[in-house]
Amino acid sequence: MSRARSARLRRLPLNAAAALTVLVCLFPVYWMISTAFTPSKDIQSSDPRLLPRTWTLDHFRTAVQADGFGMFWRNSVLVTVSSILLALVVALASAYAVARLRWKGRRQFMLMVFIAQMAPWESLIIPVYIISRDTDMLDRLPTLTLVYFMVTLPFSVIVLRGFIGTIPPELEEAAQVDGCTRTAAFRKVALPLLAPGLMATSLFGFITAWNEFAYANFLIIKHQDSRTLPVWLSSFQNTFGTDWGATMAASTLFALPALVVFLLLQRHVTSGFAAGAVKG
């Protein structure tokens, strides 16, 4: 038996396990998309099929024509993009201070960041609600923006700190010798090299804020116009049950932006996470 064939046989169980994992993870997504194109009478049939007998776009029309479709999309995009930009600015400054500067309490600061990252988000709902209520910030999109900023900030600091640590400080020192200030040296030398790390943290923040439901449903109670897309998905439930076709079509439309962003940034995100994990 050749060495190459022996290596393939050894990898066979791993390849089979990987294929099974992909199948298990993708099947619910396939079923969601398949149901979105299946007529209602076939969805409610007692004989489900992997492939629909006929295809329809009626569920997508129902989802697009639902009350508040465009408004909820605008709210989700506004809150998501704002929280990402805010988190990137603050995380970049914090990560640079930890990676490049020497100051008392630096290790304790990173320890607190790690603790904040480990805290379950759901356990903070009650404190966040009380703070929002006492400061008259309930039912407002800026409140959701600040919450999503708070949730994504620790991860962004950790990743960017590791990524900045891989950039030789001599590059910035050489720029300072040539007359640049510390800020200008960072902007002209280090910042372009941080692009993959910034994209990785941006993708994480986008997926987190885009998919978040609990805070959006809990903090936006009275003003329905301020709700986001995850809450909008519940609008397809009524006293007669759930319109599963419209719900799956709305879920498909809801998942498309995150999928497109991931496909566009996939290569940069992979290199960003790998580089950020080299040194920390």
Side-chain angles (χ1 to χ4, degrees):
M1 182 181 297
S2 65
R3 181 176 300 178
R5 184 178 179 184
S6 177
R8 285 196 297 269
L9 290 176
R10 287 196 302 268
R11 290 198 300 267
L12 185 60
L14 296 177
N15 293 338
L20 179 62
T21 301
V22 171
L23 180 63
V24 170
C25 293
L26 290 184
F27 182 77
V29 179
Y30 164 76
W31 195 257
M32 175 187 73
I33 298 174
S34 174
T35 304
F37 288 98
T38 303
S40 296
K41 61 182 181 62
D42 293 337
I43 294 176
Q44 300 171 1
S45 173
S46 59
D47 182 25
R49 293 174 175 264
L50 286 176
L51 292 175
R53 296 185 183 89
T54 57
W55 299 79
T56 181
L57 295 176
D58 291 342
H59 301 312
F60 288 93
R61 296 190 188 97
T62 301
V64 173
Q65 295 172 2
D67 293 338
F69 174 77
M71 179 174 55
F72 291 157
W73 270 84
R74 181 203 64 192
N75 293 344
S76 286
V77 170
L78 181 62
V79 170
T80 300
V81 173
S82 300
S83 62
I84 290 173
L85 293 178
L86 186 59
L88 283 180
V89 172
V90 177
L92 189 59
S94 302
Y96 183 84
V98 173
R100 286 286 189 265
L101 307 179
R102 296 295 179 265
W103 41 278
K104 187 175 180 180
R106 183 168 60 97
R107 294 182 181 275
Q108 291 78 4
F109 171 79
M110 283 306 301
L111 177 62
M112 297 304 297
V113 171
F114 275 106
I115 293 175
Q117 174 63 23
M118 291 186 293
W121 307 335
E122 291 77 8
S123 66
L124 303 177
I125 288 183
I126 299 301
V128 169
Y129 175 82
I130 294 175
I131 294 173
S132 302
R133 181 198 62 191
D134 294 344
T135 56
D136 195 25
M137 289 291 289
L138 286 177
D139 300 303
R140 297 185 182 183
L141 288 179
T143 305
L144 279 182
T145 301
L146 292 176
V147 169
Y148 297 159
F149 159 73
M150 172 192 69
V151 170
T152 58
L153 182 60
F155 177 85
S156 302
V157 173
I158 293 170
V159 172
L160 290 178
R161 177 244 187 181
F163 201 88
I164 292 175
T166 65
I167 301 176
E170 291 79 12
L171 296 177
E172 297 174 59
E173 293 171 359
Q176 289 179 279
V177 170
D178 290 339
C180 289
T181 62
R182 179 186 288 272
T183 303
F186 173 76
R187 179 171 54 85
K188 295 179 180 180
V189 177
L191 190 58
L193 299 177
L194 287 174
L198 293 174
M199 291 182 182
T201 54
S202 298
L203 179 61
F204 170 81
F206 181 88
I207 294 176
T208 300
W210 188 259
N211 293 332
E212 204 283 321
F213 173 81
Y215 283 100
N217 190 51
F218 199 71
L219 297 180
I220 307 296
I221 303 173
K222 298 179 182 178
H223 299 165
Q224 304 295 322
D225 293 348
S226 297
R227 293 196 165 185
T228 54
L229 281 175
V231 183
W232 168 69
L233 291 177
S234 63
S235 64
F236 297 98
Q237 298 178 358
N238 52 46
T239 56
F240 301 100
T242 301
D243 186 346
W244 290 113
T247 301
M248 294 300 103
S251 299
T252 301
L253 294 174
F254 173 69
L256 280 178
L259 178 62
V260 170
V261 171
F262 176 78
L263 292 177
L264 291 176
L265 302 181
Q266 180 182 14
R267 182 184 58 172
H268 301 288
V269 168
T270 303
S271 61
F273 277 125
V278 171
K279 182 178 180 181

